[in-house]
Each structure stands twice: as C-alpha cells, then as structure tokens.
Amino acid sequence: MSKTISIGIVGYGNLGRGVEAAIRQNPDMKLEAIFTRRDPGSITSGTPMVSIANIEQYKGKIDVMILCGGSAKDLPEQGPSLSKHFNTVDSFDTHALIPEYFGKVDDAAQSGGHVSVISTGWDPGLFSLNRLLAEAVLPEGKEYTFWGKGVSQGHSDAIRRVSGVKNGIQYTIPREEAVERVRGGSNPELTTREKHLRECFVVLEEGANAEAVASEIKNMPNYFADYETIVHFVSEETLRAEHSSMPHGGNVIRTGKTGLDKENTQLIEFSLKLDSNPEFTASVLVAYARAAYRLAQTGQTGAKTVFDVPYGLLSPKSPEQLRKELL
Amino acid sequence: MSKTISIGIVGYGNLGRGVEAAIRQNPDMKLEAIFTRRDPGSITSGTPMVSIANIEQYKGKIDVMILCGGSAKDLPEQGPSLSKHFNTVDSFDTHALIPEYFGKVDDAAQSGGHVSVISTGWDPGLFSLNRLLAEAVLPEGKEYTFWGKGVSQGHSDAIRRVSGVKNGIQYTIPREEAVERVRGGSNPELTTREKHLRECFVVLEEGANAEAVASEIKNMPNYFADYETIVHFVSEETLRAEHSSMPHGGNVIRTGKTGLDKENTQLIEFSLKLDSNPEFTASVLVAYARAAYRLAQTGQTGAKTVFDVPYGLLSPKSPEQLRKELL
C-alpha cells in the first residue's frame, strides 16, 4: 500500500462525526483536522479543530476534504470554493440541482487541478448506481425505489411548523404489500399512497387541540395529503427516548423481461437497512474519498459522480488482490 | 449518440442465444455475425452464421466479440487468442483461475491494442462488485453469499455419473432461516449445511435400486456429503416438463458496525431472482460490451474486470443524461 491518505472534515454535525468514526476503520487514512464555522475552542474532539476561515493554510497538507455540510446552504457555496484548492467529496443531495452544482464544481476543480466527487452517499449515491446498473442490464423493465423505514428531515420540519406542535418527527415507511407486488414481477402501477405511508410522532404545546393538529398535518399539501398518514401524540420524554436514533434504508428494485419472446422475468434488488443514516452516509463518503485521492494521483481533474468511479478505486486492496479475493 | 456498436457472438449455446436476444433490446448495437465451431449451414438464425475458422476476416468489422463458450475448455483458449484481434467480453467463471486467465488475456489484448473485459456476468460479476462495495463501505463487518434457488450444472453432472441414474438435475437452495439470521445482523458463523440445501430430481435406469442411488448421491464427498440433500425420483417426462427452465439467483449480504462505539448495525444486500440464468448473464455481457467499446474508444488497452469499469459506461445514456435522470 502507498502512503496514508490525509483527510480533512468540513462541518462537524452528525455527518462529520460519522466521518470521524469511519476513518478509524480505515487504516490507510489519517484524519488531519476538522474545519468548523463555530469557535474551534468550543468543541472537544481528539482531532485538531480549525476555523474554516483558515482552511487554505492546509493546501498541500490534506489530500481530500470531506464536505459534511448541508445541501441547502453549505454545499452550494463550499463545493465550488473548496474544490479550487482541494480534492473534495460531498453528499450534495438536491436531485434537481445536481446538473447545475456539477457544472460549478467542475469548473472550480478543473481550474485548481483537483478531483471532486459530488453527490455520494446512498441516495444519490449507491441507489443511483443500482438504478443505472439495473436499467443497463434490463432495458425492458421498470424500476421502483422505496425509502424507509426512516426519518424524513423535511417532513419532520413541516410537522414542527404546525401551530400547536412543540416537537415532532416523521417516519417514511414503505408498504410491504407494494414491495411484494414489485418483487412478484408484475410491474404494477403504484400510486404515491400505495408505495409509502407516513407515521408522525408529535409533542403538543400545552392546551393545543390534538384533533385540529392531526387534521392539519394529514391534509398538508405536498407533504402529507397524498399519503396515508398516522399521527401519534407522545410526551417530549418519549420522543427523546424512543425517536432520537436515525434509522433509514430502502430498496431499489427492477424487474425486466428477457428472451426472444420476453418470456422470462429477471429481478435485481439492492437494499439497505441502516441503524444510523448519517454514519452510513459517512462511510460511503470515506470510501469515495479514497477513490478521489487515487483519481487525482493518476492526473485526473474535475467533478465526478459515482457513475464515473470504478468500484476498484473504493477498496484499499490492490487490483491483484481484488481479482484474487473478491471477483 | 455515436455510431452503432457492431457485435459478434462466439459460441451459440444457451448463452449465445441469450446474447442474441439481449442485443435486440439495445438499439445502439447491431449483431453482425455469430461464430460457431459447428457447420454454419446446419444452424438456423436470423443472423449470418460463420465458421470460427474464418473469424479473423472480421477484424476491423466487429467492435466487440462476446465470448459465449464455457470456462472449462473454450475460454482458456479463445480468450487469449481472440483478444489479440478484437475487443472482447466474456464470463470466465472459474474463480481460482481468474488471476492466471487475466494475465494471459491482458498480454494478448495489450499486444493487439484491444480491451477485454473478463469474468462478467453475475458471479463473478455483479455479485463481486457488491462484495467489493460492501467491504469498502463497511470494513468492520462480515459478508455472506447465498446462491439459488438454481440449477448447479456441476452437481447435476455429478448425479448423472452415478450408476443407475439415467438423467437428473440438482437445485441449490439457500436456507431461508440462515438468510434471516444474517439479515438480523448477528454475523452468525454458518456451516455449509446451514447455508444451503441440495434438492435432486433423478430419473432411474430401468431396474436400478432407488435406495442405493439415493444413498450414493447423498454421501458423495465434496458434492453432497456436507449438505442436507433431498432426492426425488421422477419420470423422464416429468423432468423434461418441470425442470428444463434455468432459474437461478442469490443474495450478497454484508452487515457491519459503525460509530465510535460500533453501536450501529448497517446492512447492505444485493439480490437476484432470475427466471433464466443464461439470459441474465447474457444481458450483463451485453452491457459490458458497450463499456469495452467505449474504453477502447478512449485509447485504453488490456484486460479489465468489472472492478475497473465505471457504471456510467454500461448505459447508452450520456453522462449529462445520467446525472439528470438517474443520480
């Protein structure tokens, strides 16, 4: 194995902490520093904490920056500005804005001579890879993605904006009967309501009207109106005790037909069952950081997505080892 | 889209026929000719049939040869000899001999300036990719591969060599309780017997002793002795009517721990459920033929495996389309 890959983490929330833990499981990497917008002295960690204002002092000292900020506000600014100076990896996940983001990061990374792998993680990321693979192998077929059971941050935020709600969390849950129909190969047409249901755990403000709150949530357009929505009222203590972990997961399933008379049904399924969504996303980011480093080593530059990165670059093993042990 | 990719098929058994059908589902490809060791005049197909002795006349006319011969005798000879003259894709599946085969094909492909993607299909192939991915993302974990329900050619052949057996077929079947234990995340140690069972459908020669045949099968070392084996006796008609399709499939499952205290369990699973094993393998070969063509277009040469090929090259869509539609 070649030299140790030095890593920087930008942003120290759930995802950043997940990356910090994941790097400990990868002996070919070393965490050099964590960059934060907060006062570095206010955060305790085994790793040097540095103000993000000083990040350019680390040029040449850090092989890959793992960007752990949010897609709404942090990454649209940090992605292009940091890829000018560093190889980067991120989990930008606003699907509709990916082409625009790719363009900006590509320009910056090209100009700086760096590699930036954008939109890794699991969706976008591993799920995207499996959508592509299944479509390429089974062109005459139909693909279904199910998400959950897992917390949706956007829907949880929407609940918390309802008047009378003190706190709340929302789980997206795939309907097992829909998943089974898809696995059966009949390529069913499924409505939004048939694919997922939404389960909410809500803490009421004192004196709030539970019925009115439930009704407002269930009828909220875009977020809940098209779904079967279940609302439970719980105490703040219960919410904290039973609903503060961050599970998630889902399935990408495609069935397609093969044969001269298309008489055979073939099914490809990729699924995840995650106790911790941010820690898993972090683990994917770390594997792609290795790939970014290696791509840069071979002289490549610019923005890349998971579609551009051969799996071999994700593993610390050599090509010879991979062919011998894993093929 | 660029020019149509012209394809040749080498070997016209189940796999070759599967490739012929799969190419019809990929409008960016055209099947130019099928090369056979048999008398080309004796085979009816909508495609020109050509004696394999004349294959070098097609140099420069065929972009990728898809090698559909067997791993025991055909590919060890054809892989190196054809990759001197053509880009090739194959499904060489003798795991232990892959490093040696890779070396020979690499030498030949380098010398001819071609690209040869070896050992595609689903195992080796898609299963290998998922083993690599899951190990890279979850380094502290354990991986399990289950095969089936599907026909094992090797075990069926072994049955047919037993004296008193006229015909027979063997299904490898994963034990659902073992799969569920693995999905549960407990990383169980599973014996061979606990992972799979073997079910045999046997046609006896007239006058053969059923009990002796069953006992000989069940106690056959390497093939059956380590498994729970079920032997059914059926008529030749039943065997033909009920057991001539070629289903297969399986699951690659890895669970791993993440977090500073490794308190979270994460599960990655890839699974296939195939009505026709050869047609699915053929569909994978065709997608990798597209990738081989594109790698060659960019000036690459030599042997490659699925680990070296970015998923983006498998799809007929452009990188821009893929980022917009599938990421």
Side-chain angles (χ1 to χ4, degrees), chain B:
Chain B
M1 193 147 51
S2 43
K3 85 163 195 75
T4 303
I5 305 169
S6 58
I7 301 286
I9 291 174
V10 182
Y12 198 51
N14 288 325
L15 187 58
R17 280 191 295 272
V19 169
E20 185 182 25
I23 287 172
R24 297 194 191 181
Q25 299 190 0
N26 289 277
D28 62 335
M29 297 188 177
K30 182 175 181 295
L31 179 56
E32 219 54 60
I34 297 169
F35 300 90
T36 175
R37 275 179 310 211
R38 290 177 276 170
D39 169 14
S42 71
I43 306 167
T44 313
S45 160
T47 308
M49 301 293 306
V50 179
S51 164
I52 199 167
N54 300 324
I55 196 166
E56 288 186 34
Q57 295 172 11
Y58 285 76
K59 268 184 89 158
K61 290 181 199 155
I62 284 181
D63 294 314
V64 187
M65 287 288 181
I66 302 183
L67 313 189
C68 299
S71 295
K73 294 183 182 161
D74 303 325
L75 294 175
E77 188 268 312
Q78 291 175 352
S81 75
L82 292 177
S83 55
K84 234 177 270 169
H85 305 293
F86 299 96
N87 300 313
T88 67
V89 175
D90 70 48
S91 58
F92 184 79
D93 67 357
T94 313
H95 289 261
L97 299 178
I98 285 175
E100 183 192 332
Y101 182 70
F102 180 90
K104 285 185 183 165
V105 172
D106 191 46
D107 287 346
Q110 298 276 11
S111 81
H114 297 290
V115 169
S116 292
V117 187
I118 71 157
S119 301
T120 75
W122 59 274
D123 198 359
L126 308 190
F127 272 21
S128 322
L129 284 162
N130 281 281
R131 282 191 283 264
L132 188 162
L133 175 73
E135 183 183 278
V137 170
L138 300 174
E140 298 189 5
K142 197 165 154 56
E143 178 265 323
Y144 300 80
T145 302
F146 293 94
W147 293 273
K149 180 183 175 178
V151 174
S152 160
Q153 222 48 66
H155 288 80
S156 300
D157 289 345
I159 291 175
R160 290 189 286 257
R161 285 193 298 264
V162 170
S163 134
V165 171
K166 191 175 166 203
N167 204 346
I169 200 162
Q170 192 264 189
Y171 295 94
T172 305
I173 303 173
R175 286 184 174 276
E176 205 44 52
E177 61 273 28
V179 177
E180 285 310 322
R181 280 179 67 196
V182 169
R183 286 192 185 126
S186 64
N187 285 350
E189 290 297 330
L190 296 170
T191 62
T192 297
R193 184 181 295 271
E194 285 170 323
K195 282 186 73 186
H196 295 93
L197 62 84
R198 300 200 175 277
E199 189 173 23
C200 310
F201 293 84
V202 175
V203 182
L204 288 172
E205 304 265 19
E206 236 184 88
N209 179 333
E211 215 173 303
V213 166
S215 162
E216 189 173 341
I217 292 173
K218 289 180 184 185
N219 293 304
M220 199 185 298
N222 301 319
Y223 286 93
F224 295 99
D226 295 336
Y227 296 85
E228 182 183 332
T229 301
I230 301 159
V231 179
H232 307 279
F233 294 101
V234 295
S235 68
E236 186 78 56
E237 294 68 45
T238 302
L239 192 78
R240 210 173 304 126
E242 296 174 13
H243 302 284
S244 53
S245 72
M246 284 167 284
H248 219 309
N251 316 60
V252 176
I253 308 174
R254 187 179 182 93
T255 61
K257 296 287 185 183
T258 63
L260 282 178
D261 300 319
K262 309 195 200 312
E263 66 278 27
N264 288 312
T265 301
Q266 318 274 24
L267 178 143
I268 304 177
E269 176 168 356
F270 180 79
S271 55
L272 297 173
K273 197 162 162 267
L274 311 175
D275 275 359
S276 165
N277 183 3
E279 285 176 10
F280 186 78
T281 302
S283 298
V284 177
L285 279 164
V286 167
Y288 277 94
R290 180 180 292 117
Y293 170 73
R294 289 173 170 181
L295 287 169
Q297 290 292 101
T298 62
Q300 298 219 32
T301 59
K304 312 282 175 194
T305 74
V306 292
F307 298 153
D308 306 310
V309 178
Y311 274 24
L313 298 182
L314 302 174
S315 168
K317 295 181 175 172
S318 72
E320 294 74 25
Q321 254 186 308
L322 291 176
R323 287 195 291 271
K324 191 161 186 275
E325 297 172 14
L326 290 177
L327 197 61

